[in-house]
Amino acid sequence: MSIFVTGGAGFIGSQFIRDYVVQNPDELVVNFDALTYAGNLENLDPVAHLPNYKLVKGDICDDQAVLAAMPDGCAAVVHFAAESHVDRSILSAKEFVVTNVVGTQTLLDIARHKKVGRFLHISTDEVGGSMEPGQWFTEDMPLNPSSPYAASKTSAEHMVRAAAHTFGMDTIITRTSNNYGPYQFPEKLLPLAISNAMQGDPIPVYGDGLQERDWIHVADNCRALMMVLAKGRAGETYHIGGRNPLPNLDVLRLLLKVTGRPESLLKHVTDRLGHDRRYAVDFTKTTRELGWNPEIPFEDGLRATVAWYQDNQQWVRRARSGEYRNYYERMYGGR
Ligand code: NAD
Ligand code: DAU
């Protein structure tokens, strides 16, 4: 049996693969990744030698490359690949439409052609737009994306649902809240703040810093994804969250306490354009149907994450300097 994972060199996809290949030694995992700036093969070092892991470098918008790489009789596509950073989508939205919408449609077409068993599409709580204070996003609420990133992820969701409705494909959509943990590219808030704190550099706080995000450890998220893949109902959407919406300033103050750095490192800067105030996902349905709950309390997960960045300063240095991008040629050059 085999599964086809897209974007497996990124933050969440690499955690999923590191866990999945070890837990399922009889299944082949094909990691199909274009290795954009967000793809870092060093994230897969712990499992790259295993016989049930295979890397194929390719773009999800390239029909021929996807067709050639997706194994016949593939049990599932697990689709992580995306342009994922909101700030970049504000600077330039086009790549987000191409990868997140056209790329998703390319995968759907080829998965249907290859009669893939199940298509698991990884989406985001941002498709619901900003929640009111105290409001929680449920699976049946209307979609109301704000940023170009969220709009592209919403469009992708619509294409997935259309494929299920029109062609009877077995598709599932998951919407996750803000993930944190090891191997996250240091452009997102927590890895950026951790590495800046470690160096004693200022930490940029957008606007008043009172925007709320619902933090979940990436390992908890991947455990949920495996349960959805194995036991989720076709055609359904499942929310995955931490039940832990916190203002950014609270998160950063806790981080400074954990790293032993002064709060004077926090520097308020111009706010993100169109910045959503609150995300908070209600995942009652996922708990009820699949028995899943997050297990890692935020403060424990944050301490472990800080410890990981402290213990892996070479990874951080190479991610920040861009050196990680030479890895493919060095390891796989000529193939
Ligand atoms: P990431 O940016 O760390 O990784 C994205 C991966 O996709 C990289 O390995 C990159 O090389 C690859 N990729 C990009 N364009 C590609 C293309 N055209 N063809 C093939 N591969 C391509 O992303 P992440 O944070 O791991 O997020 C993974 C998924 O989860 C995304 O779909 C994202 O929208 C979603 N998500 C992320 C979060 C979060 O907090 N990080 C929360 C909810 C949902
Ligand atoms: O909610 C899920 C989403 O979480 C995912 O779909 C996205 O792929 C992922 O990038 C993330 O989006 P956010 O915009 O919430 O994450 P980011 O880490 O960029 O920012 C988190 C919050 O911190 C947000 O309110 C903006 C703020 N921020 C961010 C950065 C990078 C700062 O205040 N300073 C910063 O330097």
Side-chain angles (χ1 to χ4, degrees), residues 86-87 89-90 124-133 135 137 143-151 153-154 178 189 206-215 245-248 271-280:
V86 174
D87 290 330
S89 80
I90 294 168
T124 168
D125 61 357
E126 299 202 13
V127 298
S130 199
M131 297 290 113
E132 294 300 323
Q135 187 186 22
F137 181 40
L143 305 188
N144 185 28
S146 315
S147 70
Y149 161 71
K153 294 294 288 186
T154 306
N178 282 63
L189 178 66
Y206 294 171
D208 61 10
L210 298 180
Q211 307 83 4
E212 291 176 1
R213 295 293 183 269
D214 180 7
W215 297 94
L246 289 171
N248 293 336
D271 206 353
R272 173 184 279 174
L273 290 177
H275 199 167
D276 282 343
R277 293 299 287 181
R278 169 179 163 92
Y279 302 135

Short mmCIF file of all heavy atoms in Angstrom, two decimals, residues 86-87 89-90 124-133 135 137 143-151 153-154 178 189 206-215 245-248 271-280:
data_model
loop_
_atom_site.label_atom_id
_atom_site.label_comp_id
_atom_site.label_asym_id
_atom_site.label_seq_id
_atom_site.Cartn_x
_atom_site.Cartn_y
_atom_site.Cartn_z
N VAL A 86 0.61 34.33 5.32
CA VAL A 86 -0.34 35.42 5.05
C VAL A 86 0.38 36.69 4.58
O VAL A 86 -0.04 37.34 3.61
CB VAL A 86 -1.18 35.71 6.32
CG1 VAL A 86 -2.08 36.93 6.12
CG2 VAL A 86 -2.01 34.49 6.71
N ASP A 87 1.48 37.06 5.24
CA ASP A 87 2.17 38.31 4.86
C ASP A 87 2.65 38.26 3.41
O ASP A 87 2.59 39.26 2.69
CB ASP A 87 3.38 38.55 5.79
CG ASP A 87 2.94 38.92 7.20
OD1 ASP A 87 1.86 39.52 7.35
OD2 ASP A 87 3.68 38.59 8.16
N SER A 89 1.20 36.64 1.01
CA SER A 89 0.03 36.73 0.13
C SER A 89 -0.42 38.18 -0.03
O SER A 89 -1.03 38.55 -1.02
CB SER A 89 -1.12 35.86 0.63
OG SER A 89 -1.85 36.48 1.68
N ILE A 90 -0.10 39.01 0.98
CA ILE A 90 -0.45 40.44 0.90
C ILE A 90 0.52 41.16 -0.04
O ILE A 90 0.13 42.04 -0.80
CB ILE A 90 -0.46 41.05 2.33
CG1 ILE A 90 -1.60 40.42 3.14
CG2 ILE A 90 -0.57 42.57 2.29
CD1 ILE A 90 -1.55 40.69 4.62
N THR A 124 -7.58 25.39 6.50
CA THR A 124 -7.21 26.25 7.63
C THR A 124 -8.44 26.90 8.26
O THR A 124 -9.45 27.13 7.57
CB THR A 124 -6.25 27.35 7.15
OG1 THR A 124 -6.12 28.34 8.16
CG2 THR A 124 -6.74 28.04 5.88
N ASP A 125 -8.32 27.24 9.54
CA ASP A 125 -9.42 27.95 10.20
C ASP A 125 -9.61 29.36 9.62
O ASP A 125 -10.63 29.99 9.86
CB ASP A 125 -9.20 28.02 11.73
CG ASP A 125 -7.94 28.76 12.15
OD1 ASP A 125 -7.15 29.19 11.28
OD2 ASP A 125 -7.73 28.91 13.37
N GLU A 126 -8.62 29.83 8.83
CA GLU A 126 -8.73 31.20 8.29
C GLU A 126 -9.83 31.33 7.24
O GLU A 126 -10.23 32.44 6.90
CB GLU A 126 -7.38 31.65 7.70
CG GLU A 126 -6.30 31.66 8.74
CD GLU A 126 -5.12 32.56 8.41
OE1 GLU A 126 -5.22 33.37 7.48
OE2 GLU A 126 -4.10 32.45 9.11
N VAL A 127 -10.35 30.19 6.72
CA VAL A 127 -11.42 30.28 5.71
C VAL A 127 -12.70 30.85 6.31
O VAL A 127 -13.56 31.36 5.60
CB VAL A 127 -11.70 28.92 5.03
CG1 VAL A 127 -10.48 28.40 4.29
CG2 VAL A 127 -12.22 27.88 6.03
N GLY A 128 -12.84 30.76 7.63
CA GLY A 128 -14.05 31.29 8.28
C GLY A 128 -13.97 32.79 8.52
O GLY A 128 -14.97 33.41 8.91
N GLY A 129 -12.79 33.37 8.34
CA GLY A 129 -12.63 34.80 8.60
C GLY A 129 -12.53 35.08 10.09
O GLY A 129 -12.46 34.17 10.92
N SER A 130 -12.52 36.36 10.42
CA SER A 130 -12.32 36.76 11.80
C SER A 130 -13.58 36.48 12.63
O SER A 130 -14.69 36.80 12.21
CB SER A 130 -12.02 38.26 11.82
OG SER A 130 -11.40 38.62 13.02
N MET A 131 -13.39 35.87 13.79
CA MET A 131 -14.50 35.61 14.71
C MET A 131 -14.72 36.82 15.64
O MET A 131 -13.77 37.55 15.92
CB MET A 131 -14.20 34.39 15.59
CG MET A 131 -14.05 33.08 14.85
SD MET A 131 -15.60 32.44 14.17
CE MET A 131 -15.27 32.58 12.40
N GLU A 132 -15.95 36.97 16.10
CA GLU A 132 -16.24 38.00 17.11
C GLU A 132 -15.67 37.52 18.45
O GLU A 132 -15.45 36.32 18.64
CB GLU A 132 -17.76 38.17 17.25
CG GLU A 132 -18.43 38.73 16.00
CD GLU A 132 -17.89 40.11 15.62
OE1 GLU A 132 -17.60 40.90 16.53
OE2 GLU A 132 -17.71 40.36 14.41
N PRO A 133 -15.48 38.45 19.43
CA PRO A 133 -15.02 38.00 20.75
C PRO A 133 -15.95 36.90 21.28
O PRO A 133 -17.17 37.03 21.23
CB PRO A 133 -15.14 39.27 21.61
CG PRO A 133 -15.02 40.40 20.63
CD PRO A 133 -15.65 39.91 19.35
N GLN A 135 -16.69 34.14 19.97
CA GLN A 135 -17.33 33.30 18.94
C GLN A 135 -16.39 32.19 18.49
O GLN A 135 -15.16 32.38 18.44
CB GLN A 135 -17.68 34.18 17.73
CG GLN A 135 -18.50 33.48 16.67
CD GLN A 135 -18.68 34.34 15.42
OE1 GLN A 135 -17.92 35.27 15.16
NE2 GLN A 135 -19.70 34.01 14.63
N PHE A 137 -15.71 29.00 15.52
CA PHE A 137 -15.98 28.62 14.12
C PHE A 137 -16.36 27.14 14.07
O PHE A 137 -15.56 26.28 14.45
CB PHE A 137 -14.70 28.90 13.32
CG PHE A 137 -14.77 28.59 11.85
CD1 PHE A 137 -15.90 28.87 11.10
CD2 PHE A 137 -13.66 28.04 11.20
CE1 PHE A 137 -15.94 28.61 9.74
CE2 PHE A 137 -13.68 27.77 9.84
CZ PHE A 137 -14.83 28.06 9.11
N LEU A 143 -18.32 30.45 4.86
CA LEU A 143 -16.90 30.81 4.71
C LEU A 143 -16.80 32.30 4.39
O LEU A 143 -17.60 32.85 3.64
CB LEU A 143 -16.27 29.96 3.61
CG LEU A 143 -16.41 28.44 3.84
CD1 LEU A 143 -15.60 27.66 2.83
CD2 LEU A 143 -15.99 28.06 5.27
N ASN A 144 -15.80 32.95 4.97
CA ASN A 144 -15.74 34.41 4.89
C ASN A 144 -14.27 34.86 4.95
O ASN A 144 -13.89 35.62 5.84
CB ASN A 144 -16.54 34.97 6.09
CG ASN A 144 -16.64 36.47 6.05
OD1 ASN A 144 -16.61 37.07 4.98
ND2 ASN A 144 -16.74 37.10 7.22
N PRO A 145 -13.45 34.39 3.98
CA PRO A 145 -12.00 34.66 4.11
C PRO A 145 -11.67 36.13 3.93
O PRO A 145 -12.35 36.84 3.20
CB PRO A 145 -11.42 33.85 2.94
CG PRO A 145 -12.53 33.78 1.94
CD PRO A 145 -13.80 33.70 2.74
N SER A 146 -10.57 36.55 4.60
CA SER A 146 -10.19 37.97 4.54
C SER A 146 -8.93 38.21 3.71
O SER A 146 -8.85 39.16 2.96
CB SER A 146 -9.91 38.49 5.95
OG SER A 146 -10.88 38.08 6.85
N SER A 147 -7.90 37.39 3.91
CA SER A 147 -6.62 37.66 3.24
C SER A 147 -6.57 36.92 1.90
O SER A 147 -7.32 35.95 1.68
CB SER A 147 -5.47 37.16 4.12
OG SER A 147 -5.49 35.74 4.15
N PRO A 148 -5.67 37.33 1.00
CA PRO A 148 -5.51 36.57 -0.26
C PRO A 148 -5.17 35.10 0.03
O PRO A 148 -5.67 34.21 -0.66
CB PRO A 148 -4.36 37.29 -0.96
CG PRO A 148 -4.43 38.70 -0.42
CD PRO A 148 -4.87 38.58 1.00
N TYR A 149 -4.34 34.84 1.05
CA TYR A 149 -4.05 33.44 1.41
C TYR A 149 -5.33 32.69 1.74
O TYR A 149 -5.61 31.62 1.20
CB TYR A 149 -3.09 33.40 2.61
CG TYR A 149 -3.07 32.07 3.34
CD1 TYR A 149 -2.50 30.95 2.75
CD2 TYR A 149 -3.65 31.94 4.61
CE1 TYR A 149 -2.50 29.72 3.42
CE2 TYR A 149 -3.65 30.72 5.27
CZ TYR A 149 -3.08 29.61 4.68
OH TYR A 149 -3.08 28.40 5.32
N ALA A 150 -6.14 33.27 2.65
CA ALA A 150 -7.36 32.58 3.09
C ALA A 150 -8.34 32.42 1.93
O ALA A 150 -9.02 31.40 1.81
CB ALA A 150 -7.99 33.35 4.25
N ALA A 151 -8.38 33.42 1.04
CA ALA A 151 -9.29 33.33 -0.11
C ALA A 151 -8.85 32.19 -1.03
O ALA A 151 -9.69 31.45 -1.57
CB ALA A 151 -9.31 34.66 -0.87
N LYS A 153 -7.22 29.46 -0.10
CA LYS A 153 -7.51 28.19 0.58
C LYS A 153 -9.02 27.91 0.51
O LYS A 153 -9.45 26.75 0.41
CB LYS A 153 -7.04 28.23 2.03
CG LYS A 153 -5.53 28.31 2.22
CD LYS A 153 -4.79 27.06 1.76
CE LYS A 153 -4.99 25.87 2.67
NZ LYS A 153 -4.13 24.72 2.27
N THR A 154 -9.84 28.95 0.56
CA THR A 154 -11.30 28.77 0.46
C THR A 154 -11.66 28.27 -0.93
O THR A 154 -12.48 27.35 -1.09
CB THR A 154 -12.01 30.12 0.76
OG1 THR A 154 -11.56 30.61 2.01
CG2 THR A 154 -13.52 29.95 0.78
N ASN A 178 -3.69 27.57 14.35
CA ASN A 178 -2.25 27.87 14.28
C ASN A 178 -1.41 26.76 14.90
O ASN A 178 -1.46 26.54 16.10
CB ASN A 178 -1.93 29.17 15.00
CG ASN A 178 -2.30 30.38 14.18
OD1 ASN A 178 -3.48 30.57 13.88
ND2 ASN A 178 -1.33 31.17 13.81
N LEU A 189 5.12 33.56 13.37
CA LEU A 189 5.34 34.28 14.63
C LEU A 189 6.22 33.54 15.63
O LEU A 189 7.22 34.09 16.11
CB LEU A 189 3.99 34.62 15.29
CG LEU A 189 4.15 35.33 16.64
CD1 LEU A 189 4.76 36.71 16.47
CD2 LEU A 189 2.82 35.44 17.37
N TYR A 206 2.69 43.03 15.64
CA TYR A 206 1.86 43.78 14.69
C TYR A 206 0.74 44.50 15.44
O TYR A 206 -0.02 43.88 16.19
CB TYR A 206 1.23 42.84 13.66
CG TYR A 206 2.19 42.14 12.71
CD1 TYR A 206 1.72 41.14 11.86
CD2 TYR A 206 3.54 42.48 12.63
CE1 TYR A 206 2.57 40.48 10.97
CE2 TYR A 206 4.39 41.83 11.75
CZ TYR A 206 3.92 40.84 10.92
OH TYR A 206 4.76 40.19 10.06
N GLY A 207 0.63 45.82 15.21
CA GLY A 207 -0.48 46.59 15.78
C GLY A 207 -0.46 46.54 17.30
O GLY A 207 0.59 46.62 17.94
N ASP A 208 -1.68 46.35 17.88
CA ASP A 208 -1.77 46.37 19.36
C ASP A 208 -1.41 45.01 19.98
O ASP A 208 -1.33 44.88 21.20
CB ASP A 208 -3.17 46.82 19.81
CG ASP A 208 -4.29 45.90 19.33
OD1 ASP A 208 -3.98 44.81 18.80
OD2 ASP A 208 -5.47 46.28 19.47
N GLY A 209 -1.23 43.98 19.14
CA GLY A 209 -0.82 42.66 19.65
C GLY A 209 -1.95 41.92 20.36
O GLY A 209 -1.71 40.90 21.02
N LEU A 210 -3.19 42.42 20.22
CA LEU A 210 -4.30 41.76 20.93
C LEU A 210 -5.08 40.80 20.03
O LEU A 210 -6.14 40.30 20.42
CB LEU A 210 -5.24 42.82 21.52
CG LEU A 210 -4.56 43.74 22.56
CD1 LEU A 210 -5.53 44.78 23.10
CD2 LEU A 210 -3.98 42.90 23.70
N GLN A 211 -4.55 40.52 18.84
CA GLN A 211 -5.20 39.54 17.95
C GLN A 211 -5.08 38.15 18.59
O GLN A 211 -4.04 37.80 19.14
CB GLN A 211 -4.50 39.52 16.57
CG GLN A 211 -4.37 40.87 15.91
CD GLN A 211 -3.16 41.67 16.38
OE1 GLN A 211 -2.35 41.20 17.18
NE2 GLN A 211 -3.03 42.89 15.90
N GLU A 212 -6.16 37.37 18.48
CA GLU A 212 -6.15 36.03 19.10
C GLU A 212 -5.95 34.94 18.06
O GLU A 212 -6.60 34.95 17.01
CB GLU A 212 -7.47 35.80 19.84
CG GLU A 212 -7.60 36.68 21.06
CD GLU A 212 -8.95 36.51 21.75
OE1 GLU A 212 -9.78 35.70 21.28
OE2 GLU A 212 -9.18 37.20 22.74
N ARG A 213 -5.09 33.99 18.41
CA ARG A 213 -4.88 32.81 17.58
C ARG A 213 -5.00 31.59 18.49
O ARG A 213 -4.66 31.64 19.67
CB ARG A 213 -3.47 32.83 16.94
CG ARG A 213 -3.27 33.99 15.92
CD ARG A 213 -4.15 33.81 14.71
NE ARG A 213 -4.00 34.82 13.66
CZ ARG A 213 -4.70 35.96 13.57
NH1 ARG A 213 -5.59 36.26 14.50
NH2 ARG A 213 -4.53 36.78 12.55
N ASP A 214 -5.48 30.47 17.90
CA ASP A 214 -5.82 29.27 18.67
C ASP A 214 -4.69 28.25 18.45
O ASP A 214 -4.68 27.54 17.44
CB ASP A 214 -7.17 28.76 18.15
CG ASP A 214 -7.65 27.51 18.84
OD1 ASP A 214 -7.02 27.09 19.82
OD2 ASP A 214 -8.66 26.95 18.38
N TRP A 215 -3.74 28.17 19.39
CA TRP A 215 -2.50 27.43 19.16
C TRP A 215 -2.66 25.93 19.41
O TRP A 215 -3.25 25.52 20.40
CB TRP A 215 -1.38 27.98 20.06
CG TRP A 215 -1.09 29.40 19.70
CD1 TRP A 215 -1.61 30.52 20.29
CD2 TRP A 215 -0.28 29.87 18.62
NE1 TRP A 215 -1.16 31.66 19.65
CE2 TRP A 215 -0.34 31.29 18.62
CE3 TRP A 215 0.50 29.24 17.64
CZ2 TRP A 215 0.35 32.07 17.69
CZ3 TRP A 215 1.18 30.02 16.72
CH2 TRP A 215 1.10 31.42 16.75
N PRO A 245 -7.49 29.89 22.36
CA PRO A 245 -7.23 31.18 21.71
C PRO A 245 -6.58 32.15 22.69
O PRO A 245 -7.09 32.36 23.79
CB PRO A 245 -8.63 31.68 21.30
CG PRO A 245 -9.60 30.63 21.69
CD PRO A 245 -8.92 29.68 22.62
N LEU A 246 -5.45 32.70 22.29
CA LEU A 246 -4.68 33.61 23.16
C LEU A 246 -4.29 34.86 22.37
O LEU A 246 -3.93 34.75 21.20
CB LEU A 246 -3.38 32.93 23.62
CG LEU A 246 -3.48 31.78 24.61
CD1 LEU A 246 -2.12 31.11 24.77
CD2 LEU A 246 -3.96 32.31 25.97
N PRO A 247 -4.30 36.02 23.04
CA PRO A 247 -3.78 37.22 22.36
C PRO A 247 -2.28 37.06 22.10
O PRO A 247 -1.56 36.48 22.93
CB PRO A 247 -4.03 38.34 23.38
CG PRO A 247 -4.98 37.78 24.39
CD PRO A 247 -4.80 36.30 24.40
N ASN A 248 -1.82 37.59 20.98
CA ASN A 248 -0.40 37.46 20.63
C ASN A 248 0.52 37.95 21.74
O ASN A 248 1.55 37.34 22.02
CB ASN A 248 -0.10 38.22 19.34
CG ASN A 248 -0.78 37.60 18.12
OD1 ASN A 248 -1.10 36.41 18.13
ND2 ASN A 248 -1.01 38.39 17.09
N ASP A 271 0.66 47.49 11.72
CA ASP A 271 -0.17 46.28 11.68
C ASP A 271 -0.19 45.68 10.27
O ASP A 271 0.01 46.38 9.27
CB ASP A 271 -1.61 46.64 12.11
CG ASP A 271 -2.34 45.43 12.69
OD1 ASP A 271 -1.78 44.31 12.65
OD2 ASP A 271 -3.46 45.62 13.19
N ARG A 272 -0.45 44.37 10.22
CA ARG A 272 -0.68 43.67 8.95
C ARG A 272 -1.95 44.25 8.31
O ARG A 272 -2.95 44.47 9.02
CB ARG A 272 -0.87 42.17 9.28
CG ARG A 272 -1.28 41.30 8.14
CD ARG A 272 -1.53 39.86 8.62
NE ARG A 272 -0.30 39.08 8.76
CZ ARG A 272 -0.26 37.85 9.27
NH1 ARG A 272 -1.37 37.25 9.71
NH2 ARG A 272 0.88 37.20 9.36
N LEU A 273 -1.95 44.43 6.99
CA LEU A 273 -3.16 44.93 6.32
C LEU A 273 -4.29 43.92 6.49
O LEU A 273 -4.08 42.72 6.30
CB LEU A 273 -2.89 45.13 4.82
CG LEU A 273 -1.95 46.26 4.42
CD1 LEU A 273 -1.74 46.26 2.89
CD2 LEU A 273 -2.52 47.61 4.86
N GLY A 274 -5.48 44.42 6.82
CA GLY A 274 -6.66 43.55 6.92
C GLY A 274 -6.55 42.48 7.99
O GLY A 274 -7.20 41.42 7.90
N HIS A 275 -5.77 42.72 9.02
CA HIS A 275 -5.43 41.71 10.03
C HIS A 275 -6.68 41.17 10.75
O HIS A 275 -7.38 41.93 11.43
CB HIS A 275 -4.49 42.37 11.04
CG HIS A 275 -3.70 41.43 11.86
ND1 HIS A 275 -2.63 41.84 12.62
CD2 HIS A 275 -3.78 40.08 12.05
CE1 HIS A 275 -2.11 40.80 13.24
NE2 HIS A 275 -2.80 39.73 12.91
N ASP A 276 -6.93 39.87 10.66
CA ASP A 276 -8.06 39.26 11.38
C ASP A 276 -7.81 39.30 12.87
O ASP A 276 -6.70 38.97 13.33
CB ASP A 276 -8.25 37.80 10.92
CG ASP A 276 -8.95 37.71 9.56
OD1 ASP A 276 -9.56 38.71 9.13
OD2 ASP A 276 -8.87 36.63 8.94
N ARG A 277 -8.86 39.62 13.66
CA ARG A 277 -8.67 39.79 15.11
C ARG A 277 -8.66 38.46 15.86
O ARG A 277 -7.96 38.33 16.86
CB ARG A 277 -9.81 40.65 15.70
CG ARG A 277 -9.81 42.08 15.27
CD ARG A 277 -8.56 42.85 15.65
NE ARG A 277 -8.44 43.19 17.06
CZ ARG A 277 -7.43 43.87 17.58
NH1 ARG A 277 -6.43 44.28 16.80
NH2 ARG A 277 -7.37 44.15 18.86
N ARG A 278 -9.50 37.52 15.41
CA ARG A 278 -9.61 36.30 16.23
C ARG A 278 -9.90 35.09 15.36
O ARG A 278 -10.79 35.13 14.50
CB ARG A 278 -10.76 36.49 17.24
CG ARG A 278 -11.17 35.21 17.99
CD ARG A 278 -12.31 35.52 18.98
NE ARG A 278 -13.01 34.32 19.41
CZ ARG A 278 -12.70 33.61 20.50
NH1 ARG A 278 -11.70 33.98 21.27
NH2 ARG A 278 -13.40 32.54 20.82
N TYR A 279 -9.15 34.01 15.61
CA TYR A 279 -9.53 32.69 15.09
C TYR A 279 -9.71 31.78 16.29
O TYR A 279 -8.92 31.83 17.25
CB TYR A 279 -8.43 32.07 14.22
CG TYR A 279 -8.01 32.88 13.02
CD1 TYR A 279 -6.66 33.04 12.71
CD2 TYR A 279 -8.95 33.46 12.18
CE1 TYR A 279 -6.27 33.78 11.60
CE2 TYR A 279 -8.56 34.20 11.08
CZ TYR A 279 -7.22 34.36 10.79
OH TYR A 279 -6.82 35.08 9.70
N ALA A 280 -10.74 30.95 16.21
CA ALA A 280 -10.99 29.98 17.28
C ALA A 280 -11.87 28.89 16.67
O ALA A 280 -12.99 29.17 16.23
CB ALA A 280 -11.71 30.65 18.44
#
